[in-house]
Amino acid sequence: MNYEIKGNVVPCVEVSLNRGESMFTQSGGMFYQTEGIKMATNTKGGLLKGIGRMFAGESMFMATYTAMQDAKIAFASTVPGSILPVDVSKGSFTIQKGAFLAAESSVDLRTTFNKKLGNGFFGGEGFILQELRGDGMAFLEIDGDAIEMDLAPGEVIKIDTGNVVGFENSVRYEVETVKGLGNVFFGGEGLFLTKLTGPGRIILQTMNMNEFALRVRTYIPTSSN
């Protein structure tokens, strides 16, 4: 399998499949395809897995595209940003909800839970995360630009809620309360920060789509205006 990321503002990833190779994505993720590709839609792993993906911000049903001959297929972003390839063969990777775009069929997308309830209820990204395992390439959808870092053992970075895309499983994930009532109410950063502790690779995104949507909402005329 070969791939090429095309576009800048709202990019897509075009994948060249040999006969017998396949990719899967959430419903509606396919952009275009050439002749010779067969589509199958199912819950990919059973009903419980499908329900878990719904809580993680993905679709319940997954679409699998199998090449019946050499063919090409593309998957596109839904918001301005970038697409980042991740080689799952190098180790499992935990991602936040909405970050998954597409992957080879040899990759397993699992729903996982935060180890601490506080992380899920107050971390801003939900109680349920997703884990990529197996062998092959996966593609993540990034809001804005992707920022990659390699944390040393014990190295700590604190990130604004919603700007974490994913991290290697060697990285410890926690949620920390912002100190000081003035900072909480007037600092503009909310009540919680995500704390990641190395070692391991982490991926961040420069745009928080939830904050962007709230900003846009202030410009929408209402009946009272």
Side-chain angles (χ1 to χ4, degrees):
M1 185 205 77
N2 295 314
Y3 66 88
E4 179 183 0
I5 296 176
K6 298 183 175 183
N8 296 311
V9 179
V10 187
C12 73
V13 55
E14 182 187 83
V15 181
S16 298
L17 298 176
N18 297 322
R19 183 175 182 178
E21 291 183 328
S22 61
M23 299 280 298
F24 72 94
T25 184
Q26 59 179 330
S27 297
M30 195 276 296
F31 178 27
Y32 63 80
Q33 59 182 282
T34 62
E35 290 284 353
I37 291 180
K38 180 181 178 181
M39 175 184 175
T41 303
N42 52 51
T43 56
K44 194 170 177 62
L47 180 61
L48 292 180
K49 273 196 172 183
I51 294 174
R53 283 195 301 270
M54 288 180 60
F55 284 109
E58 307 291 351
S59 59
M60 179 176 180
F61 293 92
M62 288 287 180
T64 300
Y65 298 89
T66 303
M68 311 309 291
Q69 62 187 46
D70 291 354
K72 292 183 179 181
I73 186 169
F75 306 95
S77 300
T78 54
V79 298
S82 51
I83 295 174
L84 189 70
V86 173
D87 188 355
V88 184
S89 309
K90 296 181 179 179
S92 55
F93 209 82
T94 299
I95 59 175
Q96 297 281 21
K97 64 179 182 180
F100 176 77
L101 178 61
E104 291 185 82
S105 58
S106 53
V107 173
D108 185 19
L109 178 65
R110 300 184 180 184
T111 302
T112 183
F113 293 85
N114 282 324
K115 295 180 180 179
K116 297 182 180 179
L117 288 176
N119 291 358
F121 291 123
F122 305 118
E125 290 305 299
F127 181 57
I128 299 177
L129 299 172
Q130 291 181 297
E131 187 177 21
L132 295 167
R133 292 186 177 185
D135 182 25
M137 297 298 300
F139 298 93
L140 306 182
E141 182 175 353
I142 311 295
D143 298 344
D145 293 318
I147 306 297
E148 298 183 69
M149 300 181 184
D150 286 308
L151 300 182
E155 184 178 2
V156 173
I157 186 169
K158 300 176 183 180
I159 307 105
D160 188 20
T161 299
N163 289 92
V164 177
V165 176
F167 45 89
E168 292 180 331
N169 283 0
S170 57
V171 175
R172 189 167 76 248
Y173 172 90
E174 300 173 278
V175 170
E176 184 176 275
T177 306
V178 174
K179 295 179 174 60
L181 290 178
N183 294 332
V184 171
F185 290 107
F186 307 113
E189 298 301 329
L191 183 57
F192 302 96
L193 292 174
T194 296
K195 178 181 177 181
L196 299 178
T197 306
R201 175 192 179 199
I202 67 172
I203 301 172
L204 311 179
Q205 58 188 10
T206 59
M207 184 171 73
N208 183 332
M209 198 58 197
N210 290 332
E211 291 182 359
F212 177 75
L214 291 174
R215 181 71 63 88
V216 171
R217 184 180 178 183
T218 62
Y219 294 97
I220 299 177
T222 62
S223 57
S224 60
N225 291 4

